[in-house]
Amino acid sequence: LKWLKSIEEQEKGLLNLAVEYYLKDDFLQASEYFTRYLDTNSFPDSRKDIYGYYYGDSLFHLKKYEEAIEVLDDISFKKENESKLYFSRHLLLGACYRFSNEILKSELAFQHVIDNSKKDYQYLNALNNLGALYMNRFAESKSGEAIKIFRSIVDEEVELIEDLEPRHLQNYKSIAA
């Protein structure tokens, strides 16, 4: 079995396998292949940011928050050209900071998305995450703010520029409730 894996690694390459496993949501295998690849290489400049995002997201799913932050800090999507990925990176950083108990950094990351993104699913995601952060025991003084955030989502007071499918909106509302 080991020799089969070795042949696959030679044929496909470590980086391609890392991406393949990431796209299958196999974050453990993805992170292992990314790590092995980076032991002797660096990401190609043209794909550095997207591969870094995949690697950081894999580490996040494995609850390796500090490592994920380190990887995500090293990438820089352009807001103008790669808006969705730019804000996804900030959401992911906010979550990593939250689970690392870096409350202020987490708040800043989520607030950045709220203040600068289109009023779409990423905006709602940032609102939900900021509300959850404010309910955190480290941010008890902001629980009233959390209630306002969640109430605005549940009562659909949040104006969105793009329509979400009803099931997606319901999902955000159930999280807020």
Side-chain angles (χ1 to χ4, degrees):
L1 192 62
K2 219 173 193 180
W3 63 273
L4 277 176
K5 192 173 182 177
S6 175
I7 291 172
E8 182 182 42
E9 289 172 1
Q10 288 177 356
E11 287 179 357
K12 291 185 178 181
L14 297 175
L15 186 55
N16 287 333
L17 284 168
V19 171
E20 186 177 303
Y21 281 110
Y22 174 80
L23 295 174
K24 293 178 185 176
D25 293 339
D26 186 340
F27 302 114
L28 179 60
Q29 287 293 323
S31 71
E32 288 175 2
Y33 278 115
F34 279 125
T35 300
R36 286 182 53 206
Y37 176 83
L38 290 171
D39 282 344
T40 56
N41 303 282
S42 55
F43 292 137
D45 287 340
S46 63
R47 306 285 292 162
K48 175 183 177 273
D49 292 333
I50 192 65
Y51 291 153
Y53 179 82
Y54 291 168
Y55 186 30
D57 191 33
S58 295
L59 293 167
F60 169 80
H61 281 89
L62 297 173
K63 299 180 180 177
K64 296 180 177 184
Y65 306 119
E66 287 81 15
E67 290 177 54
I69 290 167
E70 190 175 315
V71 170
L72 294 167
D73 275 344
D74 196 37
I75 62 176
S76 58
F77 293 111
K78 303 293 182 245
K79 182 178 164 185
E80 303 76 34
N81 304 6
E82 303 162 304
S83 179
K84 295 284 185 200
L85 289 168
Y86 174 85
F87 290 113
S88 291
R89 175 186 167 270
H90 282 277
L91 286 167
L92 189 53
L93 272 170
C96 288
Y97 287 133
R98 177 178 171 215
F99 293 118
S100 297
N101 293 319
E102 295 187 55
I103 303 305
L104 181 59
K105 287 181 178 181
S106 180
E107 179 181 24
L108 291 172
F110 294 138
Q111 195 64 55
H112 180 77
V113 176
I114 292 165
D115 293 343
N116 296 288
S117 72
K118 296 187 299 184
K119 305 296 184 244
D120 61 5
Y121 72 93
Q122 289 181 314
Y123 174 81
L124 273 178
N125 194 343
L127 277 176
N128 263 328
N129 276 290
L130 187 61
L133 178 71
Y134 286 166
M135 294 302 287
N136 186 304
R137 63 186 168 95
F138 296 108
E140 285 177 6
S141 64
K142 303 231 180 183
S143 60
E145 195 64 30
I147 292 168
K148 286 181 195 174
I149 290 170
F150 292 142
R151 188 167 287 137
S152 72
I153 295 170
V154 171
D155 295 342
E156 294 186 39
E157 295 170 1
V158 175
E159 292 185 37
L160 301 174
I161 62 163
E162 88 179 20
D163 290 332
L164 294 179
E165 289 184 34
R167 66 186 172 93
H168 290 153
L169 181 58
Q170 189 58 40
N171 185 38
Y172 283 108
K173 287 171 65 173
S174 67
I175 292 168

